[in-house]
Amino acid sequence: MTSPILLDIRDAVAHITLNCPERANVLDDAMGQALVDVSQQVTQAQQQGRVRAVLLAAKGPHFCAGGDIRSFSTTQDMAGLLDRGIPPLHDAIHALSTLPVPVISAVNGSLGGGGIGIALCADIVLAGHSMKLRGGYSAIGLSPDVGVSWALTRLAGPMRAKHIMFTNVTLHAEQCVRYGLVAEVHADDALMPAAEKLALTLAQGAAGSLTSIKSLVDQAAGHTLKQQLQMEHQNMLACGASADAREGVQAFIDKRAPRFAGPSGQPT
């Protein structure tokens, strides 16, 4: 049986690919459990130093249409079905969101419901021109899950997040850029090459520096200025004591590309 999610680790990049294109990669039970399994494998590989960046993508013309609404229509206990399906998805999205390495998503076609949470758990979102984001929850009497309310509020702000989820307006890729949900838009056939190039570039970067940047940015909203300044001080000292910092400074002086330490401790 074909796995609903594919995992391929190469060149220190974990490629996670939603693999049910015939169903628009909906988040059914099998997809949820597969996402948990894959997130655990990626976490372990990252801790072993084999993963320095993650790329989330999807097979087919649509990234993820959201939950499996057909299964909702065939059950007499929708709350029970949701109660069984949501925890695995939430465990997986938390694991991916809190990885101490850069996470990139490449989004094409339809993006709805919980699929929004998967796409926006990334540090950087790239979109194809075909991307169309639609909340959809209130249209069927449900509320957000998979971190959608957190991600939309954090990226677009409370008012726009409410507008997206209250009205189920369809946002095209360029609108998502204006709202801060997407970093770049590419032609559909150029999306994956651009995402793969970015993931590989980050995987070859200074790992400690990128981890510090991610931590500082992710925690900034919950800190006072004084707390953030203290964190910046601590992180700068840790980075300054690293071999990567010494290599980066010397490369700058020598006017050459730096060769930062790879997963095995050897230069990349």
Side-chain angles (χ1 to χ4, degrees):
M1 181 179 176
T2 303
S3 174
I5 297 183
L6 305 176
L7 173 62
D8 179 25
I9 299 175
R10 61 182 187 275
D11 298 323
V13 177
H15 297 255
I16 300 174
T17 307
L18 308 185
N19 188 40
C20 291
E22 69 282 357
R23 302 189 64 218
N25 296 304
V26 295
L27 299 176
D28 56 15
D29 289 343
M31 182 72 83
Q33 187 55 57
L35 193 60
V36 171
D37 295 341
V38 165
S39 66
Q40 290 174 344
Q41 293 175 56
V42 171
T43 298
Q44 183 179 41
Q46 183 275 319
Q47 292 169 347
Q48 295 169 345
R50 296 189 294 116
V51 167
R52 290 163 57 104
V54 175
L55 175 55
L56 294 165
K59 292 279 189 182
H62 303 292
F63 184 86
C64 179
D68 184 9
I69 297 176
R70 290 189 182 279
S71 70
F72 300 165
S73 70
T74 60
T75 181
Q76 298 300 310
D77 182 16
M78 190 187 304
L81 179 67
L82 293 168
D83 193 33
R84 292 189 298 274
I86 287 174
L89 286 169
H90 284 190
D91 287 345
I93 212 69
H94 184 267
L96 293 172
S97 298
T98 56
L99 281 169
V101 298
V103 178
I104 300 153
S105 62
V107 183
N108 59 294
S110 297
L111 181 64
I116 298 171
I118 295 176
L120 299 189
C121 83
D123 301 299
I124 300 174
V125 182
L126 306 186
H129 283 300
S130 65
M131 175 193 177
K132 294 180 181 179
L133 183 151
R134 181 177 182 271
Y137 289 103
S138 64
I140 56 174
L142 295 176
S143 61
D145 60 353
V146 199
V148 172
S149 60
W150 186 85
L152 287 177
T153 302
R154 178 169 165 259
L155 296 172
M159 185 181 297
R160 279 181 168 160
K162 290 173 186 175
H163 183 249
I164 292 167
M165 291 184 283
F166 282 174
T167 67
N168 302 303
V169 61
T170 297
L171 299 180
H172 297 274
E174 294 293 350
Q175 292 172 289
C176 288
V177 172
R178 293 198 297 272
Y179 281 16
L181 305 177
V182 165
E184 297 175 0
V185 179
H186 298 268
D188 281 3
D189 60 359
L191 175 61
M192 283 307 298
E196 289 171 349
K197 180 180 179 180
L198 177 59
L200 183 58
T201 298
L202 294 176
Q204 295 173 341
S209 173
L210 296 176
T211 295
S212 289
I213 292 168
K214 180 168 181 171
S215 176
L216 286 166
V217 172
D218 285 350
Q219 297 182 63
H223 285 168
T224 63
L225 174 58
K226 186 172 184 178
Q227 289 172 327
Q228 191 71 5
L229 291 171
Q230 290 172 338
M231 275 195 66
E232 287 185 346
H233 184 183
Q234 293 164 2
N235 279 269
M236 182 68 88
L237 294 183
C239 287
S242 70
D244 276 347
R246 291 191 296 274
E247 165 61 14
V249 169
Q250 191 60 53
F252 179 86
I253 297 299
D254 296 343
K255 297 182 179 180
R256 60 174 174 81
R259 300 182 68 230
F260 296 119
S264 64
Q266 299 300 317
T268 55

